[in-house]
Amino acid sequence: MKKTILAIAFVAIGAVSCKTDKNKTTVGEKKEVAKTENVINTYKANIAESSVAWKGSKPTGSHNGVVSLSKGTLEIESGNVKSGEFIIDMTTIVCEDLKAGDGKEDLEKHLKNADFFDVEKFPTAKFQVASSEVKGGKVHVTGNLTLRDVTKSITIPATITEADDMVTFKSETFSIDRTDFGVTYKSKKIDAALKDKFINDLMEVSFEIKAKK
């Protein structure tokens, strides 16, 4: 009787053992866990190679030029702008379509005075990224533009190119209404009596920012 009970016990243990071995998980050396979060790269603007282009017009023609940055940063995550801020040095307004001695200095001085950007009182402007999304191969960046101490939200399409430790942020040309920022000199919206002596309210702007890690 005892032998029978022992035999049954051994058979039962063997059955459980076979089942356990069949379902046994293979144990090996520790593996590195893949990280799922995206890497955010931080870049600092190269001031010498970055600028903001502008163009203003009136019925008789137009003028265009650039303004320099004083500093800027960008945080890029998987080809998208996570955050960023550009500080624009308004004292550096330059007209590029006129030659020295041919009205260039006079126009630059006028743009810097109280009729336009009043750089003595408002020496800097700023664009701060609020959010962005990728659509149609372009990054659509929404941010706050501050000019003459007035802040408005704008959305601009841009392309981002990363190579090694460099990134280029280049916006498409977009237009802003200067009167939204308190620049009302010779605006037909403000003074209808100007007739054809007005300056267009819309001015064209574009950013080209080159930055390094």
Side-chain angles (χ1 to χ4, degrees):
M1 184 65 178
K2 289 182 178 180
K3 290 182 179 180
T4 303
I5 293 171
L6 286 172
I8 293 171
F10 281 127
V11 170
I13 291 170
V16 172
S17 177
C18 290
K19 184 177 180 180
T20 303
D21 288 344
K22 183 178 180 181
N23 296 327
K24 185 177 179 182
T25 299
T26 302
V27 176
E29 295 298 318
K30 179 183 177 182
K31 301 292 185 181
E32 291 296 325
V33 177
K35 296 181 178 179
T36 56
E37 65 268 18
N38 295 321
V39 175
I40 298 176
N41 294 315
T42 301
Y43 297 88
K44 184 178 180 180
N46 182 331
I47 303 306
E49 296 184 7
S50 302
S51 63
V52 180
W54 59 268
K55 182 178 181 180
S57 60
K58 54 185 179 180
T60 55
S62 63
H63 294 294
N64 65 274
V66 294
V67 190
S68 299
L69 296 188
S70 60
K71 62 180 179 178
T73 57
L74 278 170
E75 286 191 346
I76 308 297
E77 179 183 31
S78 300
N80 199 3
V81 182
K82 189 72 175 178
S83 66
E85 182 177 80
F86 313 140
I87 306 299
I88 305 162
D89 184 355
M90 298 302 291
T91 67
T92 65
I93 297 173
V94 172
C95 175
E96 295 186 318
D97 65 285
L98 294 176
K99 295 180 179 179
D102 191 26
K104 174 182 170 70
E105 296 86 353
D106 290 339
L107 177 59
E108 291 172 354
K109 184 178 179 180
H110 195 190
L111 290 173
K112 293 174 183 178
N113 75 20
D115 282 344
F116 287 96
F117 301 107
D118 200 356
V119 301
E120 185 174 344
K121 188 174 181 181
F122 308 104
T124 62
K126 179 172 69 175
F127 180 72
Q128 188 173 38
V129 175
S131 63
S132 64
E133 62 176 328
V134 178
K135 294 191 300 183
K138 293 186 183 295
V139 180
H140 292 254
V141 180
T142 298
N144 296 316
L145 177 63
T146 301
L147 188 60
R148 284 182 58 119
D149 210 26
V150 177
T151 301
K152 300 288 183 180
S153 175
I154 60 172
T155 299
I156 55 176
T159 55
I160 295 172
T161 307
E162 287 184 273
D164 298 326
D165 61 346
M166 299 290 295
V167 66
T168 299
F169 173 89
K170 186 175 178 62
S171 79
E172 293 186 359
T173 299
F174 59 96
S175 295
I176 60 172
D177 187 330
R178 62 189 177 93
T179 64
D180 288 339
F181 298 90
V183 184
T184 59
Y185 179 75
K186 287 195 175 181
S187 167
K188 199 171 184 179
K189 186 190 301 183
I190 306 300
D191 185 0
L194 287 168
K195 296 184 179 180
D196 62 349
K197 303 294 183 181
F198 67 93
I199 296 173
N200 287 329
D201 293 335
L202 294 182
M203 56 180 291
E204 296 180 2
V205 181
S206 64
F207 295 115
E208 183 167 5
I209 313 298
K210 295 188 177 181
K212 187 175 182 179
K213 283 184 183 177

